[in-house]
Amino acid sequence: MVSVINTVDTSHEDMIHDAQMDYYGTRLATCSSDRSVKIFDVKNGGQILLADLRGHEGPVWQVAWAHPMYGNILASCSYDRKVIIWKEENGSWDKMYEYTGHDSSVNSVCWGPYDFGLILACGSSDGAISILTCSGDGQWDIKKISNAHTIGCNAVSWAPAVVPGSLVDQPTGQKPNYIKRFVSGGCDNLVKLWKEEDGQWKEDQKLEAHSDWVRDVGWAPSIGLPTSTIASCSQDGRVFIWTCDDPSGNTWTAKLLHKFNDVVWHVSWSITGNILAVSGGDNKVTLWKESLDGQWACISDVNKGQGAVSSVTDGQQNEQ
Amino acid sequence: MMDTKQSRSGRNMAARWSSENVVVEFRDAQATAMSVDCLGRHAVLSGRRFLYMVNLEIPSETPRKIGRQSKWDVGTVQWNPHKSEAHLFAASSNQRVDLYVWRDGCGEAHTSLQGHTRVISDLDWSWFEPEYLVTSSVDTYIYIWDTRDTRKPTVALSAVAGASQVKWNRRNPSCLASSHDGDVRIWDKRKPNTAVEYVAAHLSKIHGLDWHPDNEYILATSSQDNSVRFWDFRQPRKYLNILSCQVPVWKARYTPFSNGLVTVMVPQLRRENSLLLWSTLDLNSPVHAFVGHDDVVLEFQWRPQKEGSKDYQLVTWSRDQTLRIWRVDPQLQKLCANDIVEELVEGMALNTESEKTLPSQDSEPPLSPGLSSEDLQDQQEGLQAALMGGGRQDAPGLPQTLQQEFSLVNLQIRNVNVEMDAVNRSCFVSAHCGANRVRLVVKFPAQYPNNAAPTFQFVPPTTISSSMKIKILKILTDTSLQKVKRNQNCLEPCVRQLVSCLESDMEDGTAANPYVLSNPVTPALPAFPRVTNTYGSYQDANIPFPRTSGARFCGTGSLVYFTRPTTMHRSLPPTEPTPRSLSALSAYHSGVLTPMKMRTESQSTLRLYSGSPTRSDKEQVSISSFYYKERKPPQSILRRWSVQAIHDCPKSRRWKSKREGGDYGNKPIKPAGKVIIQEISCLLPIHKALGETYVLNVNDIQDTCQKNSAAALAVGRRDLAKVWALASAATSVDLSPDSDPDADTPWARHPFGRHLLETLLDHYSQMSDVQSLAMLCSVFQAQGSPQDYFTLYGHHVPRSAIFAPHHMRYPSYTSSSVTSGSCSSTSDSTTTAWNIAGRDPEHAPPWGESSPDDYRYANQVYSDPREREKEQHDMNKRLLDPANALQFDDFKKCYGEILHRWGLKEKRSEVLKFVSCPPEPHKGIEFGVYCCHCRSQARGTQCAVCKRFTFQCAICHVAVRGSSNFCLSCGHGGHTSHMMEWFRVQEVCPTGCGCHCLLQSTF
């Protein structure tokens, strides 16, 4: 059954804007308007504050854990226009790198698949997207896509490291040739796909469906199937699921998941890529699943108090 | 790490994230007025006992003082705006104006202007004549003084009503405006008897008046009636636009850049201490709030821009006795130049017929209203022209002389200098941008601007590249042609194009080089004092409204989510959507946009969110300000909110007890909710329990399937239990295929063979059950390959030699395979050594360490059709379609990743053993072959030039066609079998060249 396994009181002094667990699900990072990032050990239902990271001078919007093969690394982005990459060494967390190349609030950070090394995409309200690549020896290589989204970029999400398009058509005798790709959403109401060609980032696709700012995008993890899937959500209350079966990756079709009554802020895919968590201004979390016939259905609605997540509310009420 | 103490102390400084970079307190100044000189060096603060001269370069330096004896406060103080008279300032005090001279660090009042009979309400220096000063008074007169003759005013304008403000027009030297209660009068100083125009601007008193910096006819008025109105005085009956505020507006002044406007609310209310920056193109919400002053802002002025700086500085003086300097960076400036131009233009269809032009001084032809605006190049300025009623449509279209153009052109452009020579019909334009310098000669033909464009030529010391020169020349030519086609002047548009082109080039250059991020904003940041109140200002119409709830799938089976605490819900009614932009929060700061709750709640509740944010830390504006903090007993919360995902009930209980303790009114409610971690793995198609219990025993596939079936049953996956049973049946030894292609159709070709398996994989793909997919693929691969492998190669290589290394190493076989492929070792295995190319799978199996999939990657050329058939048959025997092997690999890799997250590393490596490893592209040494007859380079055994076989065996002297071996040192060699035989007993080369082949060759 779905059950609450932990309730973490973060003691943040202001509202929380993001919470994310690491790769193994043993640590929780949270960030808040109180300008801090906190890391908790949440193993076995416990909650031990491991670090209270101060360094941002504005509300911290988002955090992102890097793949553990590079160590315990966390990135955070803030209203103060900075991106800070934190690293744990010998049990203490310190700044590994501070990126100040944006002219306005940095709204989103996302680590790329580990196959590409330590690579971070950052989307900012100055309209640009930066791609930071760790070149070892503590150096970071920066590529910037200026004016990626007019007015501002609100979200970035990497594509999984799979061969674009059909997996079947790969030439044999070679290692698969992964192409770095990510998706971004912005205040121009667009979802844009980017890919790296000859070391340069190029706009690959422009997906139009939303009628207001795109607030979040999420590229679904791949389990090895040839379909690429992206979820996008917007101020207009709509959530779209974009899919592409086309080997060349050019034909994306949109399917409206649902139209909510308020802004939708966040979409998140389960590890198998078949469940989508949607949250927004209405303070609710809903889970959506694609049935075998390709229809998306809400499998839980916190508000309805039925289905699997009824136990969420049950859990809450039991606590009371 | 920043400790809290530091942040506290920083807070006292009240520096904010709004680009304020200087705060200086003058505790005893008690100044009522302030002015910044035209060079940007000094600000004068006028107190009752002293005038303080603040050095704006080093504002913290103790200010110099000028003593004054008066029982009256200074009403207005103003520096002379002309550089030649920059040492002069005027200060009004009751009925008198004192003129002060400030030189060499000390100053004195050198003369005074007396004439008014009541208190002076305002004074203003002329923008055109440095000696002229206008004063307004409650005595109903407006006097224009020539400071060279201080005995009496040179002009007296009689208004009948007392004036509160008087301001010279910025573009027309004869024109000025005064405000009288709710009216505005426009004067021509040459017609002192009566005003040229009356504008019934407001119903209540006008507090502020400001002329548009670029348009002669436009002015802005701010009034007690809670609005700022924009006027074209030629159309006095209808304002151009209105900015409605909830509170009276003290001052509204245009910014020196783009389309900005800064407002200050009426000080008497003592509620709103922020200055708001607006874009006049979008008056719906301010683009920025300068937050920091703890008391009312008495005066604000723009400091003249420094050479080479893109930033503007706003100097403010407040009753809190602090002087602040705020940096307005290009980013912020840009916000005032909105891109909703077209809409506005459409909505602003102006009646241009009612044009009334003030005759300007002298007998020059009347200035065309479009003159100044006509030439403005970029979009927003173009809009401005349209907005401001001028516009080019009502420009009379008179072709102007070059001289006129030169005298009127507005070249107040940063980093640009233009030397104009009307006699020779040419001018020099010098511009610099970063390291780039450009000097350009512009020559105007005689017919200009009648469809005759000027010529442009670069001259030293221009430093830009030639490609850039070409680009710029093209832009300039295009721009000028466009203009002269319509008989319009083109100098200013061209210069502006030049500058923007240079600037954009520099930006591109910095973007391309990550290490030279000489962004105009970034380097300045560290110089800021520590920012404490993070939500000080919201310049940020383009920053999304923060998320206050969210859910994320994490790890493998967890959902982490946070929501707003129970005690907080939105202050907006639920029917209104959450705002999209962070600037919505500024409403809570400025009081301009009152949220619904604020309007309806009683005064006492109002204090909750709107109380002076800087008074108390607890009430600072934050995202939580948006949410209404409910203060009701927990019972009602339970009732109201039980249906929602609310997680703070323990807190509300605590809170209740506190409330009973009686101090709840002051106790801040925690704005941070809890973070909930929920186990949702039951919703996923994968199971950690199965991950643990599934086995993969390659040596006993049947057993593996049976065990896995039992494991699936144990976790309740009956479908999987059956699938494993099917797998067990399909992998039965009875069905194992014959090695002879002609013997029988392999089971894989049977409907229950590969087809069945594919259907199963399809099904689990749709379910996203990567666990089952990966396990099935592994098992069927294990079932397929070893037996094939055994039948194929078993008689050559001991079985263990294949399996042991193959299964022990993942993923690093490729390198060994490549090196051993080109020059195999002689010591390891005497039977297979010295083979160069494993051409023949029958006789030369791939190297000891190769995967069963290797044959897939070898580029095989079949000379024998039987081999092709065999290959075909080998493919057909497999239950898993080899064509999809890469996809199967992805299943396994993905599942491996999940096992890793579960911490099942051994299980992970078991699965990953079945990932095929395509060899890396060959990167090692390649041996070149030279034909032994003609010495030309050859590929393969036959020379392309002489058509003979390229080499002979050193033993039998027959051309070598099959496998061969060579010494890397002397290059001699021959048939593998001959070489093998020879070196079994010999160490030197069989040709007698004397090479110790076995010793020389390092392999």
Side-chain angles (χ1 to χ4, degrees):
Chain A
M1 263 321 272
V2 170
S3 55
V4 172
I5 52 173
N6 207 336
T7 307
V8 182
D9 186 355
T10 58
S11 303
H12 275 298
E13 291 162 27
D14 208 331
M15 286 194 146
I16 298 172
H17 300 304
D18 196 17
Q20 197 178 123
M21 282 204 291
D22 68 353
Y23 183 84
Y24 300 107
T26 56
R27 295 179 190 206
L28 175 75
T30 59
C31 62
S32 149
S33 259
D34 69 5
R35 305 185 302 276
S36 70
V37 173
K38 293 186 181 187
I39 299 173
F40 298 88
D41 184 329
V42 290
K43 271 201 294 280
N44 308 321
Q47 58 178 82
I48 304 157
L49 181 67
L50 296 177
D52 183 354
L53 307 177
R54 305 273 172 166
H56 282 296
E57 294 163 32
V60 188
W61 299 140
Q62 210 175 63
V63 289
W65 289 94
H67 193 275
M69 73 188 278
Y70 301 104
N72 290 322
I73 294 174
L74 185 76
S76 60
C77 63
S78 156
Y79 177 77
D80 69 3
R81 313 171 183 199
K82 287 194 287 198
V83 174
I84 299 182
I85 297 170
W86 311 86
K87 183 165 188 172
E88 184 197 25
E89 246 151 341
N90 307 320
S92 78
W93 285 86
D94 278 310
K95 267 185 211 179
M96 178 187 186
Y97 181 65
E98 187 172 298
Y99 175 62
T100 53
H102 283 291
D103 299 342
S104 186
S105 166
V106 184
N107 303 319
S108 182
V109 282
C110 184
W111 290 104
Y114 67 90
D115 315 58
F116 302 143
L118 207 48
I119 184 167
L120 183 76
C122 324
S124 160
S125 282
D126 65 7
I129 297 171
S130 298
I131 293 99
L132 318 181
T133 315
C134 185
S135 52
D137 61 25
Q139 293 298 311
W140 290 79
D141 178 48
I142 291 142
K143 288 202 175 110
K144 198 163 171 184
I145 308 172
S146 300
N147 203 20
H149 288 277
T150 345
I151 311 178
C153 173
N154 298 336
V156 285
S157 174
W158 284 85
V162 290
V163 180
S166 168
L167 291 152
V168 187
D169 296 343
Q170 267 303 293
T172 54
Q174 278 172 30
K175 282 232 155 179
N177 186 22
Y178 296 136
I179 294 178
K180 292 184 191 130
R181 291 197 295 173
F182 68 85
V183 59
S184 65
C187 301
D188 50 7
N189 309 350
L190 294 175
V191 172
K192 288 187 179 181
L193 307 187
W194 306 86
K195 75 171 166 197
E196 195 188 45
E197 272 175 16
D198 310 320
Q200 294 299 314
W201 284 94
K202 299 212 170 91
E203 185 182 313
D204 187 32
Q205 290 287 312
K206 198 186 277 182
L207 310 181
E208 286 183 69
H210 289 293
S211 59
D212 207 335
W213 292 8
V214 178
R215 288 302 307 264
D216 199 15
V217 285
W219 202 310
S222 164
I223 57 160
L225 300 172
T227 309
S228 299
T229 309
I230 291 171
S232 67
C233 64
S234 155
Q235 185 73 30
D236 65 13
R238 291 187 177 87
V239 176
F240 280 102
I241 308 290
W242 304 86
T243 49
C244 173
D245 305 314
D246 173 16
S248 53
N250 291 329
T251 325
W252 289 82
T253 47
K255 183 178 254 180
L256 180 65
L257 179 95
H258 190 64
K259 161 95 170 66
F260 293 83
N261 289 326
D262 202 348
V263 48
V264 182
W265 280 328
H266 197 50
V267 285
S268 174
W269 289 101
S270 70
I271 191 163
T272 46
N274 64 331
I275 303 178
L276 185 72
V278 178
S279 53
D282 58 5
N283 211 23
K284 290 171 199 160
V285 177
T286 49
L287 303 184
W288 299 77
K289 189 173 183 176
E290 190 179 16
S291 62
L292 286 179
D293 58 358
Q295 295 303 311
W296 288 88
C298 183
I299 55 167
S300 79
D301 186 334
V302 175
N303 202 29
K304 279 185 205 154
Q306 38 175 243
V309 179
S310 63
S311 57
V312 176
T313 26
D314 290 348
Q316 295 312 309
Q317 282 159 354
N318 292 343
E319 269 184 57
Q320 298 161 15
Chain B
M1 228 180 252
M2 188 177 83
D3 66 40
T4 43
K5 196 179 162 194
Q6 214 177 346
S7 73
R8 291 272 148 66
S9 67
R11 189 168 286 154
N12 294 336
M13 281 181 67
R16 304 278 185 266
W17 173 251
S18 54
S19 345
E20 167 187 355
N21 52 6
V22 177
V23 186
V24 196
E25 186 166 349
F26 301 101
R27 186 46 76 195
D28 305 317
Q30 300 302 323
T32 49
M34 186 264 297
S35 178
V36 176
D37 77 339
C38 68
L39 302 173
R41 286 193 206 133
H42 298 110
V44 60
L45 296 170
S46 52
R48 190 171 294 181
R49 294 178 54 227
F50 295 102
L51 299 173
Y52 298 86
M53 199 62 64
V54 180
N55 181 350
L56 289 177
E57 296 298 330
I58 322 163
S60 52
E61 197 181 70
T62 315
R64 308 284 178 98
K65 295 183 207 170
I66 306 171
R68 64 183 286 268
Q69 285 90 40
S70 175
K71 57 177 181 173
W72 309 104
D73 276 326
V74 170
T76 313
V77 63
Q78 195 180 68
W79 286 93
N80 192 308
H82 298 272
K83 288 198 173 149
S84 57
E85 304 287 322
H87 56 283
L88 208 64
F89 66 90
S92 72
S93 166
N94 198 17
Q95 304 166 9
R96 200 177 76 199
V97 174
D98 294 313
L99 297 178
Y100 287 84
V101 176
W102 178 260
R103 270 204 187 96
D104 309 322
C106 58
E108 52 167 0
H110 79 113
T111 184
S112 54
L113 312 170
Q114 299 194 37
H116 283 293
T117 55
R118 300 276 303 276
V119 64
I120 294 171
S121 53
D122 198 14
L123 63 83
D124 198 30
W125 289 95
S126 166
W127 295 98
F128 295 88
E129 295 149 299
E131 298 83 18
Y132 280 76
L133 179 74
V134 64
T135 56
S136 66
S137 164
V138 188
D139 67 8
T140 74
Y141 283 97
I142 294 161
Y143 291 147
I144 299 172
W145 306 80
D146 183 336
T147 53
R148 291 166 297 196
D149 174 14
T150 56
R151 286 167 303 173
K152 62 178 179 61
T154 53
V155 181
L157 312 171
S158 173
V160 184
S164 56
Q165 291 269 292
V166 63
K167 295 285 180 259
W168 288 100
N169 192 301
R170 308 259 198 121
R171 313 293 297 180
N172 184 335
S174 318
C175 181
L176 52 127
S178 61
S179 65
H180 310 262
D181 207 12
D183 299 339
V184 174
R185 293 177 195 200
I186 312 295
W187 304 84
D188 185 326
K189 74 171 184 185
R190 294 161 299 182
K191 296 178 187 167
N193 297 331
T194 176
V196 176
E197 193 59 75
Y198 290 79
V199 183
H202 292 269
L203 297 172
S204 308
K205 188 179 179 189
I206 295 171
H207 293 301
L209 191 64
D210 196 38
W211 284 99
H212 193 278
D214 298 318
N215 190 302
E216 181 184 345
Y217 305 108
I218 305 290
L219 57 117
T221 54
S222 52
S223 158
Q224 183 71 23
D225 70 3
N226 302 358
S227 70
V228 178
R229 296 183 190 193
F230 302 88
W231 302 90
D232 179 330
F233 72 72
R234 295 166 298 175
Q235 301 164 59
R237 264 158 284 287
K238 178 79 182 111
Y239 52 81
L240 295 174
N241 210 346
I242 184 168
L243 165 60
S244 300
C245 306
Q246 257 76 28
V247 288
V249 190
W250 181 237
K251 287 286 178 311
R253 290 186 191 148
Y254 289 101
T255 56
F257 50 85
S258 54
N259 300 301
L261 182 84
V262 174
T263 60
V264 169
M265 302 308 156
V266 167
Q268 283 85 348
L269 291 188
R270 294 207 177 208
R271 199 176 108 193
E272 179 42 59
N273 307 315
S274 308
L275 297 101
L276 299 178
L277 175 64
W278 305 78
S279 162
T280 53
L281 305 181
D282 177 12
L283 296 170
N284 292 322
S285 59
V287 293
H288 186 83
F290 299 96
V291 181
H293 280 301
D294 289 338
D295 206 335
V296 294
V297 175
L298 296 170
E299 184 56 79
F300 62 97
Q301 291 201 351
W302 292 94
R303 187 178 176 191
Q305 207 174 12
K306 265 190 269 178
E307 183 81 16
S309 164
K310 287 186 177 180
D311 293 344
Y312 281 91
Q313 290 185 332
L314 182 65
V315 182
T316 60
W317 171 254
S318 154
R319 195 170 283 166
D320 66 8
Q321 304 301 310
T322 58
L323 179 122
R324 287 163 199 255
I325 305 177
W326 318 75
R327 198 171 60 90
V328 177
D329 58 34
Q331 189 74 19
L332 191 47
Q333 294 167 28
K334 236 189 274 172
L335 286 172
C336 295
N338 235 315
D339 45 21
I340 48 168
V341 180
E342 290 81 353
E343 297 167 31
L344 268 169
V345 174
E346 281 165 22
M348 281 284 165
L350 283 176
N351 178 11
T352 50
E353 270 86 299
S354 66
E355 180 183 320
K356 292 176 196 169
T357 317
L358 266 188
S360 23
Q361 219 174 13
D362 308 330
S363 55
E364 275 179 51
L367 297 182
S368 108
L371 263 193
S372 59
S373 45
E374 171 187 332
D375 294 342
L376 300 181
Q377 188 50 38
D378 45 54
Q379 210 180 18
Q380 59 272 64
E381 281 170 292
L383 163 70
Q384 206 167 51
L387 245 185
M388 299 328 179
R392 47 179 72 100
Q393 57 271 56
D394 61 351
L398 294 173
Q400 290 178 317
T401 67
L402 189 62
Q403 198 157 10
Q404 279 171 337
E405 184 185 359
F406 281 180
S407 62
L408 294 168
V409 69
N410 172 20
L411 288 169
Q412 299 300 311
I413 307 170
R414 222 177 320 113
N415 304 335
V416 172
N417 186 30
V418 181
E419 303 150 44
M420 292 175 283
D421 181 357
V423 179
N424 293 320
R425 302 195 70 82
S426 69
C427 71
F428 284 94
V429 179
S430 319
H432 64 92
C433 190
N436 288 339
R437 304 200 154 271
V438 169
R439 192 166 165 84
L440 200 63
V441 189
V442 189
K443 290 208 161 86
F444 300 87
Q447 299 87 351
Y448 173 86
N450 294 335
N451 210 5
T455 59
F456 302 91
Q457 193 186 358
F458 288 102
V459 291
T462 301
T463 58
I464 54 171
S465 65
S466 55
S467 63
M468 188 68 190
K469 278 183 187 167
I470 293 165
K471 189 176 147 199
I472 289 178
L473 274 184
K474 168 136 179 40
I475 290 170
L476 292 178
T477 315
D478 289 352
T479 310
S480 59
L481 278 175
Q482 213 176 4
K483 287 281 167 187
V484 297
K485 261 187 208 160
R486 286 178 272 163
N487 291 358
Q488 288 171 349
N489 302 314
C490 67
L491 178 59
E492 187 180 331
C494 287
V495 172
R496 289 191 188 271
Q497 283 289 356
L498 172 70
V499 171
S500 70
C501 190
L502 285 174
E503 280 175 357
S504 67
D505 180 60
M506 190 174 75
E507 276 162 28
D508 290 354
T510 53
N513 185 349
Y515 299 106
V516 197
L517 282 166
S518 66
N519 190 297
V521 180
T522 322
L525 278 176
F528 282 12
R530 187 159 287 287
V531 180
T532 55
N533 181 359
T534 52
Y535 281 106
S537 67
Y538 302 102
Q539 65 188 54
D540 305 316
N542 56 347
I543 295 181
F545 193 83
R547 298 171 182 147
T548 54
S549 66
R552 238 183 225 281
F553 285 106
C554 292
T556 46
S558 303
L559 180 71
V560 175
Y561 62 96
F562 59 96
T563 45
R564 287 188 293 280
T566 348
T567 47
M568 306 184 88
H569 58 100
R570 297 156 31 131
S571 47
L572 289 174
T575 45
E576 272 185 51
T578 310
R580 70 178 184 184
S581 142
L582 191 56
S583 57
L585 280 181
S586 63
Y588 298 85
H589 232 286
S590 63
V592 172
L593 308 162
T594 328
M596 197 59 98
K597 279 287 176 188
M598 270 173 72
R599 290 191 211 120
T600 52
E601 295 288 313
S602 66
Q603 276 295 316
S604 60
T605 350
L606 206 143
R607 227 187 60 78
L608 250 172
Y609 359 88
S610 67
S612 167
T614 45
R615 288 283 177 216
S616 142
D617 291 345
K618 297 295 177 214
E619 290 178 16
Q620 278 180 356
V621 167
S622 144
I623 172 65
S624 36
S625 321
F626 179 74
Y627 297 98
Y628 169 56
K629 293 165 193 166
E630 186 164 337
R631 293 178 186 247
K632 284 188 179 168
Q635 285 82 358
S636 77
I637 286 171
L638 278 183
R639 200 166 56 243
R640 281 184 64 177
W641 294 94
S642 54
V643 286
Q644 281 225 318
I646 296 309
H647 318 295
D648 281 73
C649 286
K651 186 190 285 175
S652 51
R653 182 162 295 161
R654 243 184 286 139
W655 173 48
K656 182 187 176 186
S657 59
K658 271 182 193 155
R659 180 178 166 266
E660 283 158 353
D663 63 342
Y664 88 103
N666 312 325
K667 210 72 191 173
I669 296 166
K670 268 193 191 171
K674 290 185 179 176
V675 177
I676 314 290
I677 304 170
Q678 206 172 53
E679 173 71 34
I680 49 95
S681 43
C682 66
L683 301 175
L684 297 178
I686 54 174
H687 303 269
K688 188 178 178 184
L690 283 183
E692 282 162 353
T693 48
Y694 270 162
V695 291
L696 256 180
N697 181 3
V698 282
N699 296 321
D700 192 345
I701 298 295
Q702 291 283 299
D703 179 54
T704 301
C705 292
Q706 278 152 21
K707 278 185 178 152
N708 289 348
S709 174
L713 206 56
V715 299
R717 284 289 297 265
R718 281 174 300 180
D719 62 322
L720 282 178
K722 283 285 175 251
V723 167
W724 283 115
L726 283 174
S728 165
T731 52
S732 156
V733 192
D734 309 337
L735 297 173
S736 57
D738 205 294
S739 62
D740 181 359
D742 303 325
D744 199 4
T745 309
W747 179 247
R749 308 294 288 168
H750 191 272
F752 282 0
R754 191 184 283 180
H755 185 70
L756 174 74
L757 186 56
E758 274 171 2
T759 316
L760 281 174
L761 293 180
D762 259 5
H763 175 74
Y764 287 107
S765 290
Q766 280 193 352
M767 288 177 64
S768 300
D769 186 352
V770 67
Q771 187 173 34
S772 307
L773 290 172
M775 288 304 291
L776 287 173
C777 290
S778 301
V779 163
F780 281 99
Q781 188 166 354
Q783 175 268 335
S785 10
Q787 286 175 355
D788 292 355
Y789 216 64
F790 188 74
T791 49
L792 265 175
Y793 311 124
H795 56 281
H796 281 289
V797 188
R799 191 180 167 149
S800 61
I802 295 169
F803 289 123
H806 165 48
H807 290 299
M808 283 308 125
R809 36 113 219 135
Y810 172 81
S812 63
Y813 87 88
T814 38
S815 56
S816 67
S817 152
V818 168
T819 50
S820 63
S822 47
C823 316
S824 63
S825 153
T826 47
S827 51
D828 274 359
S829 148
T830 46
T831 51
T832 57
W834 285 76
N835 271 301
I836 283 185
R839 284 273 165 93
D840 183 350
E842 280 292 341
H843 298 102
W847 319 100
E849 295 190 352
S850 61
S851 128
D853 294 297
D854 266 7
Y855 74 94
R856 268 184 10 91
Y857 301 103
N859 278 322
Q860 294 173 347
V861 182
Y862 305 102
S863 48
D864 186 350
R866 278 189 307 146
E867 274 177 23
R868 188 195 297 273
E869 192 190 355
K870 196 157 190 65
E871 174 73 11
Q872 196 76 49
H873 176 63
D874 189 52
M875 295 286 202
N876 289 343
K877 283 191 301 197
R878 295 166 156 253
L879 282 167
L880 283 172
D881 187 351
N884 291 336
L886 269 175
Q887 183 175 13
F888 301 150
D889 285 352
D890 277 330
F891 293 151
K892 288 168 225 164
K893 283 182 198 163
C894 176
Y895 183 47
E897 198 66 16
I898 291 171
L899 287 169
H900 193 205
R901 285 178 187 255
W902 280 335
L904 304 172
K905 292 185 183 164
E906 283 174 22
K907 295 284 180 189
R908 169 175 177 262
S909 42
E910 273 180 20
V911 171
L912 290 184
K913 271 188 246 173
F914 292 92
V915 175
S916 58
C917 299
E920 278 177 4
H922 179 68
K923 279 188 243 156
I925 307 163
E926 207 167 327
F927 293 98
V929 180
Y930 290 90
C931 174
C932 63
H933 304 285
C934 67
R935 291 281 147 208
S936 56
Q937 196 170 2
R939 288 198 72 84
T941 54
Q942 203 175 16
C943 174
V945 180
C946 61
K947 305 290 177 208
R948 290 201 268 180
F949 289 107
T950 45
F951 54 86
Q952 292 178 333
C953 176
I955 308 282
C956 64
H957 297 281
V958 171
V960 184
R961 307 174 75 166
S963 58
S964 55
N965 286 96
F966 297 91
C967 169
L968 290 182
S969 179
C970 65
H972 296 125
H975 293 109
T976 302
S977 50
H978 293 157
M979 289 299 124
M980 209 78 82
E981 219 164 280
W982 174 266
F983 284 111
R984 200 162 286 158
V985 288
Q986 301 290 334
E987 283 188 348
V988 293
C989 183
T991 56
C993 71
C995 175
H996 290 265
C997 296
L998 281 191
L999 297 174
Q1000 291 292 326
S1001 306
T1002 47
F1003 40 86

